[in-house]
Amino acid sequence: QVQLVESGGGLVQPGGSLRLSCAASGSIFSINTMGWHRQAPGKQRELVAVITSSGSTNYADSVKGRFTISRDNAKKTVHMQMNSLKPEDTAVYYCNAEVTYFSGGYLHSRWGFGTQVTVSS
């Protein structure tokens, strides 16, 4: 069983910063892509940022230049530094990881339970 546990959410004023973290645990052979998605009330879940095992990154246009994703492969963690936060960044942020359970196995997508980020004055 794979678990993804997020931390670091909270309430912040516009222009402020937060750092989200996600730790993967369980019977994991390898982790391919890790990333963050978010879902605001009444909206669909959307991709925020992803990072491959080699460190290649991709960001949603709305967060480019403000958010930075990073990972520690040895610790099976992914982080996202969020700066210059805006009210429209308010959402539940979910960690995602594509994992294999053994060598040559299929990729399985796993999700955390989410952490709330609220940007408000």
Side-chain angles (χ1 to χ4, degrees):
Q1 191 79 343
V2 175
Q3 280 192 318
L4 299 179
V5 179
E6 302 105 332
S7 61
L11 173 64
V12 65
Q13 291 186 341
S17 298
L18 284 173
R19 179 178 170 84
L20 302 183
S21 294
C22 172
S25 62
S27 300
I28 300 171
F29 177 77
S30 67
I31 302 178
N32 189 6
T33 301
M34 300 186 81
W36 293 94
H37 295 66
R38 68 186 180 188
Q39 187 166 18
K43 295 187 177 182
Q44 289 188 331
R45 191 174 296 189
E46 63 175 358
L47 173 70
V48 178
V50 293
I51 184 167
T52 67
S53 57
S54 61
S56 296
T57 59
N58 192 29
Y59 297 91
D61 288 343
S62 59
V63 307
K64 282 181 181 176
R66 300 188 297 123
F67 292 9
T68 302
I69 191 170
S70 61
R71 66 188 280 176
D72 185 325
N73 291 331
K75 295 181 179 179
K76 297 176 184 172
T77 57
V78 63
H79 310 278
M80 186 163 68
Q81 179 67 40
M82 305 187 295
N83 298 328
S84 303
L85 283 162
K86 305 175 181 180
E88 50 264 42
D89 294 318
T90 295
V92 178
Y93 284 70
Y94 296 91
C95 176
N96 173 258
E98 293 185 336
V99 307
T100 61
Y101 298 119
F102 53 87
S103 178
Y106 290 110
L107 285 171
H108 298 266
S109 183
R110 292 292 175 258
W111 294 88
F113 288 108
T115 184
Q116 177 70 46
V117 171
T118 302
V119 185
S120 175
S121 55

